[in-house]
Amino acid sequence: MTESAATMVRLVNPLGFPEKVQAALADRLKSLEGKTIGLIDNIKPNAGLFLSYIEEMIKGNYPTVQFHKVRKNFTSSRLIADQLQGKVQAVVNAWGD
């Protein structure tokens, strides 16, 4: 290995923004008042607890908000977000590993 190759550093953007936007993002809601929010529980440890805290925080600021909850089962390939389609105006997804 040459000296220049050994001292090279490659920086990677950790935010994961694509170089090109493939699709337009949805407009942000002006307010949550009167909206229905979808809560997706992916059954990871503490996901349900996390979502219950989020629900309580939102209710504290927007008492008219309704919630529609879906919970993944143990089948990793089973989709659940489609259960919210047409029922909610926003989603909180407890997702990760």
Side-chain angles (χ1 to χ4, degrees):
M1 193 181 315
T2 67
E3 184 178 321
S4 63
T7 58
M8 268 177 65
V9 175
R10 181 175 183 197
L11 296 176
V12 179
N13 181 351
L15 300 178
F17 293 117
E19 291 184 26
K20 283 185 162 183
V21 175
Q22 301 296 320
L25 298 175
D27 291 333
R28 292 197 179 261
L29 298 173
K30 302 225 184 294
S31 172
L32 296 180
E33 252 346 296
K35 302 292 191 256
T36 300
I37 309 298
L39 301 176
I40 300 176
D41 181 341
N42 70 350
I43 68 169
K44 299 290 184 185
N46 296 315
L49 182 61
F50 168 76
L51 289 173
S52 67
Y53 288 146
I54 296 297
E55 182 178 356
E56 289 306 313
M57 288 190 319
I58 292 173
K59 282 181 182 177
N61 292 321
Y62 302 97
T64 62
V65 169
Q66 299 293 309
F67 292 91
H68 187 83
K69 302 172 190 177
V70 293
R71 187 167 195 267
K72 197 166 185 81
N73 68 14
F74 292 102
T75 307
S76 63
S77 62
R78 182 176 168 258
L79 301 177
I80 58 173
D82 62 327
Q83 295 174 28
L84 300 174
Q85 189 170 352
K87 299 176 184 173
V88 301
Q89 289 80 42
V91 172
V92 177
N93 186 6
W95 178 77
D97 288 321

